[in-house]
Amino acid sequence: MSALGLFDVKGIGPKLVRAKSGLVVLGWGVSIASLALTGILQGIIIPHSAQYVPQAGVGILRVALYYGGIFGLSILAGWVLADISKAVLGFFVSYGVGVFLTFLALAGPGFAGVIPESVAELSAIVFAFTALFPLAFLAGLVGGLLGAASSET
């Protein structure tokens, strides 16, 4: 034990092992929110205007990279969790965290009074669920299952 009794370096390892699943799920959720916000704000998932016409090939590639990012992230998280039941439960929890953080970030200007709160909340709900359902949901679930199944062998 250290001189102050507060920083026991030898005791950190067992605590991190117990908290591993929770930290993986939290990181998974934050990463999902980050990918969703990037896709929304860059106009990859939700176009900026009705006249938006993506350039041939570039728009499709960006959308494929968005869904590929969610799929790859989920494979990695499932592989680290190394258990199919933990991966499925962790996916649903992380997806809830991701949706909540995406909504919170998009509704922030309304909470701060920059724009009307009702407009910000409605837009945040529509944008978050458009970006995260149904294809991103399926890509994440399948990726998490594949990652967990590949690490169980």
Side-chain angles (χ1 to χ4, degrees), residues 13 24 30 39 42 47-49 62 69 80 92 97 104 117 119 132 153:
V24 169
V30 170
Q42 292 293 322
H48 293 293
S49 67
R62 293 173 76 186
V80 171
F92 286 111
V97 169
L104 199 61
E117 191 172 341
V119 172
L132 292 170
T153 57

Side-chain angles (χ1 to χ4, degrees), residues 1-116:
M1 193 171 267
S2 69
L4 295 176
L6 298 175
F7 302 107
D8 185 15
V9 177
K10 293 179 184 177
I12 292 174
K15 291 177 185 173
L16 284 178
V17 169
R18 287 190 303 238
K20 181 182 92 166
S21 297
L23 292 174
V24 169
V25 168
L26 181 63
W28 195 359
V30 170
S31 298
I32 286 172
S34 173
L35 283 170
L37 286 168
T38 301
I40 292 168
L41 297 176
Q42 292 293 322
I44 297 169
I45 301 303
I46 300 168
H48 293 293
S49 67
Q51 291 92 18
Y52 178 78
V53 178
Q55 297 173 353
V58 175
I60 300 297
L61 177 64
R62 293 173 76 186
V63 170
L65 285 174
Y66 169 72
Y67 291 118
I70 290 180
F71 183 71
L73 171 71
S74 298
I75 285 178
L76 181 63
W79 183 74
V80 171
L81 289 173
D83 182 21
I84 290 179
S85 62
K86 283 183 183 178
V88 170
L89 180 63
F91 170 74
F92 286 111
V93 171
S94 69
Y95 223 75
V97 169
V99 168
F100 176 72
L101 290 176
T102 303
F103 168 78
L104 199 61
L106 293 173
F111 297 147
V114 176
I115 60 175

